[in-house]
Amino acid sequence: MRTSIKRESAGDLLVTEAVAVTDKQLDGATQVEIFRRMALLKANDERTRKEITAGRLAAPYYSYRGQEVIAAAMAVNLSDEDYLCTIYRGIHDMLAKGLPLKQLWAEMAGRVTGTCKGKGGPMHLTYPKKGVMVTTGIVGSSLPIANGLAWASQLSKDGRVTVACFGDGASNIGAFHEALNLAAVWKLPVIFLCQNNQYGEHTRYAKTTAVQQIADRAAGYGMQGARVDGNDPVQMYHAARRAVERARAGEGPTLIEAVTFRFFGHVFGDADRYMDPAQKQAAIAADPYPAYRAKLISSAVATEVQLSQIEAEFQAEIDQAVAFALQSAYPGLEELTSDVYGASVA
Amino acid sequence: MNKAPTKERQTTVLEALNQALHDAFADDPKVVALGEDIADPEEGGVVGVTKGLSTKFGEARVRTTPISEQAIIGAAIGVSLAGYKPVAEIMLMNFTTVAMDMIINHAAKLRYMSGGQTNVPIVIRTMTGAGFSTGGQHSDYLEAWFAHTAGMKVVAASTPADAYGLLRSAIDDPDPVLLIESMPSYWTSGAPAAPGYRVPIGKASIASPGSDLTIVSYSRMLNECTAALQPLEEAGVSAELIDLRTISPWDEETVANSVNKTGRCLIVHEAVIPFGVGAEIAAVLSARFHGKLKAPIARLGAPFTPVPFSKPLENAYLVNAQRIRDAAVALVKRH
């Protein structure tokens, strides 16, 4: 996918960083850690689609297959204390951040053992223990809330960073504009991570967006922007790292545009007829997962045995999580009306 | 801290709200505020509710924002998820429409959708009210929309002491509270509240006792109802006036106890009548007192139109003391 990124517009605006790094700038342990998280994400997506297809899981599912690099390379730069606001296509972001598999699967299945006692579902997964603060089903709404979390960090000087994930489609909604402007004016420690998978719902990027690069919009807010190949773990790692460092240093927000592709359409089960078949085939042929796996082996960062072992461990963990979820009870009907309000103080 | 209001001097609703904010900021360093023009360099809010706050507590905690209602409520939600107690100002109630996704889809629902792992203790202060020739987009009462949303609380004061006590309770509250400020009522005077006074959310007050009918109202219309009490007495009607104070969750018991005594009920609000707060109250009371009421429950409110500009039309749009008196007399004398 690296070659498919065109930079034929104005090129690098003043605040658009060129991310040009070599593989040597990333140590082997971090490279393997990124792979480890990618392996978890990929296996989890495959299993989710399998369970839905088999009829054992009934939930709207927005597959992130193809976008694993972005979440993995972002998350290795974050701690549990850092905040994440993500969207309905965001399970990769959350898993990479540390959302536990058992509670994830139980929530997907609407069980009381889920992160949200089954009351949120896949579009509203929440797990503050790992910084997963908000998951929204509304396009663009992760951004304004992320600003508030970042404001809290700025006030309390706790050094946390907040990451707001969203897609290319969200860059055309009003909340994007309001949030980026406020974050820049207030110099908030927030990272706007746009996962440009080149389709908003069923409509291709160029039909809805005149600007060639979403990252270029950063200049309009007086903010740092970076456009990277979101399928290249090393590029993505360094863009994420630079943004995290900037935020922690009090130097303000960053807009990262990570270019990628989603392999399974908008919602799993849609017929994909709106997609250019050649574009889709090319993207799948350039699947970053096997490419990165092969590269780790060929560059002697890891052995085939090591990587296979990582993959096998996750398969076993996912097996356990699925079994745990499907054997768990549904919430009791008392949960229908609980958690609407807390106990009033006055 | 449920101390009764002290009675030595008079204050206004505007001063009471300002005092409540100053006291809340002094009591809890986690209280912050944000909104358009709210810091002192921008004159402390268009009416001056937030005056003095940024000078005293700093612009890190008291932030003037861009004209960006989604960003304002989004930032309030986010900062509250991290343990702060934000008071967000949406300058006019009509401007809440710009932030409805943040308020309805997020602030109101995050507690439920997270299974109780997170909560959104924010206060949204907003002002409204017809009568200032501000036309169709600057004067609506939209409380029914918010009251209709599970997870939201809606409060509105009519006296300075209640304004102080409700704002303090709203800041204490673990959930999103919309506090409606009536533009024409900012300069309503009354006894000030004792420092730290709280008005429990969900608790109405009996503004004036009576025996022939119950009048339920809130916000600016409560003051119109008060103005109708003397003419009603002169007409031989003893009205019990209830100030709801909290619109949602409304104090069903206080209202029901009164209606049980009087057998008649008139509900008065500034908002349009169809699908309004009055409809909900009337439905609950009808179910509860079916066959025991001496008269059908009556509602007074605005006609089903946008707020007009032209003065005679705007005057006709608004309920006033005369119309309240006439409706109450009709309810008692005809039934």
Side-chain angles (χ1 to χ4, degrees):
Chain A
M1 289 296 288
R2 188 196 290 255
T3 52
S4 74
I5 296 176
K6 293 175 185 160
R7 302 190 63 106
E8 63 203 18
S9 68
D12 293 342
L13 294 176
L14 193 62
V15 293
T16 304
E17 298 168 320
V19 179
V21 287
T22 65
D23 299 356
K24 290 195 183 73
Q25 288 175 267
L26 190 50
D27 63 276
T30 306
Q31 288 188 58
V32 172
E33 182 55 27
I34 292 172
F35 176 83
R36 207 181 64 79
R37 298 192 198 206
M38 285 171 61
L40 165 65
L41 309 187
K42 174 173 170 284
N44 189 72
D45 176 85
E46 284 167 349
R47 184 61 178 269
T48 307
R49 285 183 283 111
K50 191 175 155 190
E51 294 298 320
I52 291 171
T53 306
R56 287 187 291 267
L57 190 65
Y61 184 59
Y62 304 87
S63 170
Y64 53 80
R65 190 64 257 286
Q67 301 183 200
E68 292 90 343
V69 168
I70 301 168
M74 182 79 243
V76 296
N77 282 289
L78 302 173
S79 74
D80 288 355
E81 283 70 41
D82 291 317
Y83 294 128
L84 174 71
C85 293
T86 188
I87 60 166
Y88 52 92
R89 193 185 319 283
I91 290 173
H92 57 321
D93 302 320
M94 296 180 249
L95 272 179
K97 186 80 172 60
L99 185 78
L101 276 168
K102 280 184 177 172
Q103 283 105 312
L104 163 69
W105 274 89
E107 189 63 28
M108 297 279 293
R111 308 305 165 109
V112 72
T113 50
T115 52
C116 313
K117 297 188 277 187
K119 295 164 76 165
M123 278 198 267
H124 306 300
L125 286 152
T126 309
Y127 198 70
K129 282 179 205 159
K130 294 285 183 180
V132 179
M133 301 305 288
V134 176
T135 303
T136 181
I138 309 293
V139 169
S141 295
S142 56
L143 291 85
I145 299 175
N147 275 347
L149 288 158
W151 180 24
S153 295
Q154 190 180 61
L155 283 167
S156 62
K157 301 181 173 66
D158 63 11
R160 294 183 202 208
V161 165
T162 301
V163 178
C165 292
F166 54 98
D168 44 302
S171 73
N172 292 327
I173 205 164
F176 171 92
H177 172 71
E178 291 195 16
L180 265 69
N181 180 58
L182 187 77
V185 169
W186 287 6
K187 267 192 144 183
L188 294 174
V190 62
I191 298 165
F192 299 108
L193 178 53
C194 177
Q195 305 187 19
N196 180 353
N197 59 26
Q198 306 181 45
Y199 281 83
E201 307 244 347
H202 292 196
T203 307
R204 65 192 165 78
Y205 177 85
K207 201 167 177 178
T208 60
T209 313
V211 67
Q212 297 228 357
Q213 306 189 156
I214 290 168
D216 287 349
R217 292 182 170 177
Y221 300 103
M223 181 188 299
Q224 294 290 335
R227 178 178 162 102
V228 296
D229 181 348
N231 289 352
D232 180 328
V234 180
Q235 264 200 54
M236 184 59 219
Y237 173 86
H238 284 287
R241 182 169 168 174
R242 203 168 304 179
V244 168
E245 285 171 353
R246 179 175 296 128
R248 291 208 208 282
E251 291 164 10
T254 306
L255 170 63
I256 299 175
E257 177 188 9
V259 180
T260 184
F261 199 83
R262 48 170 220 216
F263 292 173
F264 292 94
H266 174 57
V267 63
F268 178 54
D270 78 29
D272 272 12
R273 278 192 294 268
Y274 51 86
M275 271 192 186
D276 172 4
Q279 183 193 28
K280 186 177 166 182
Q281 270 175 8
I284 291 172
D287 187 341
Y289 185 85
Y292 186 50
R293 192 181 192 282
K295 206 186 80 178
L296 290 181
I297 295 166
S298 68
S299 59
V301 171
T303 65
E304 163 66 37
V305 173
Q306 278 176 309
L307 300 187
S308 296
Q309 210 163 27
I310 289 170
E311 290 165 327
E313 278 167 22
F314 282 132
Q315 288 297 347
E317 256 190 73
I318 293 168
D319 284 345
Q320 288 168 18
V322 175
F324 169 80
L326 297 182
Q327 286 160 17
S328 288
Y330 286 103
L333 291 185
E334 73 281 359
E335 289 292 350
L336 176 63
T337 51
S338 71
D339 301 320
V340 179
Y341 297 101
S344 278
V345 182
Chain B
M1 295 283 276
N2 267 311
K3 286 180 210 153
T6 55
K7 287 189 177 166
E8 303 83 51
R9 62 183 180 88
Q10 296 280 294
T11 188
T12 64
V13 168
L14 178 60
E15 287 166 350
L17 290 167
N18 183 257
Q19 189 64 49
L21 288 170
H22 274 273
D23 291 355
F25 266 75
D27 285 358
D28 185 353
K30 292 284 189 186
V31 178
V32 294
L34 71 167
E36 294 152 18
D37 298 341
I38 70 161
D40 288 332
E42 291 74 47
E43 301 189 352
V46 283
V47 181
V49 176
T50 53
K51 211 173 260 300
L53 279 181
S54 71
T55 301
K56 192 161 178 192
F57 301 102
E59 287 198 52
R61 283 173 74 190
V62 183
R63 293 208 179 179
T64 285
T65 65
I67 304 168
S68 302
E69 281 80 10
Q70 293 185 71
I72 292 168
I73 302 299
I77 293 169
V79 85
S80 82
L81 291 173
Y84 284 84
K85 309 278 287 178
V87 181
E89 175 174 312
I90 298 294
M91 190 181 287
L92 289 172
M93 194 168 205
N94 283 89
F95 306 164
T96 60
T97 57
V98 184
M100 282 308 248
D101 168 54
M102 283 294 136
I103 301 171
I104 305 300
N105 285 322
H106 296 90
K109 294 180 183 174
L110 290 183
R111 178 191 285 278
Y112 191 86
M113 296 195 305
S114 73
Q117 293 178 95
T118 59
N119 63 305
V120 182
I122 69 173
V123 179
I124 303 171
R125 294 181 34 249
T126 192
M127 71 171 170
T128 195
F132 283 90
S133 302
T134 48
Q137 296 176 340
H138 280 58
S139 16
D140 275 309
Y141 266 81
L142 305 172
E143 69 275 21
W145 294 356
F146 301 96
H148 194 60
T149 300
M152 285 298 299
K153 295 178 182 177
V154 185
V155 301
S158 65
T159 69
D162 282 351
Y164 181 97
L166 279 172
L167 180 49
R168 295 300 307 267
S169 292
I171 293 170
D172 293 341
D173 201 86
D175 293 302
V177 180
L178 182 81
L179 183 132
I180 303 167
E181 297 169 9
S182 157
M183 221 180 322
S185 306
Y186 276 124
W187 297 275
T188 298
S189 62
Y197 178 60
R198 302 290 198 274
V199 172
I201 289 177
K203 192 78 192 119
S205 73
I206 296 172
S208 182
S211 55
D212 294 332
L213 92 156
T214 302
I215 303 177
V216 179
S217 191
Y218 51 88
S219 193
R220 180 256 202 94
M221 279 301 141
L222 194 284
N223 301 323
E224 290 297 320
C225 292
T226 304
L229 288 176
Q230 182 64 27
L232 276 171
E233 206 179 306
E234 286 160 12
V237 172
S238 165
E240 178 146 296
L241 177 58
I242 294 180
D243 186 348
L244 218 46
R245 302 195 292 190
T246 298
I247 295 162
S248 179
W250 65 285
D251 186 352
E252 188 183 327
E253 281 323 297
T254 296
V255 175
N257 287 340
S258 176
V259 173
N260 190 44
K261 180 175 73 178
T262 62
R264 299 180 186 89
C265 186
L266 170 66
I267 304 152
V268 185
H269 51 58
E270 183 165 332
V272 296
I273 293 174
F275 305 96
V277 169
E280 172 66 16
I281 295 171
V284 169
L285 294 176
S286 297
R288 202 160 158 167
F289 294 104
H290 179 68
K292 296 176 198 154
L293 291 168
K294 296 172 190 160
I297 294 166
R299 290 179 286 159
L300 271 181
F304 203 36
T305 72
V307 182
F309 168 72
S310 179
K311 205 65 201 169
L313 298 182
E314 191 182 34
N315 288 341
Y317 176 90
L318 276 170
V319 173
N320 57 29
Q322 180 67 43
R323 286 177 58 198
I324 295 164
R325 178 220 168 263
D326 293 349
V329 168
L331 208 58
V332 173
K333 302 287 177 184
R334 284 191 209 146
H335 300 278

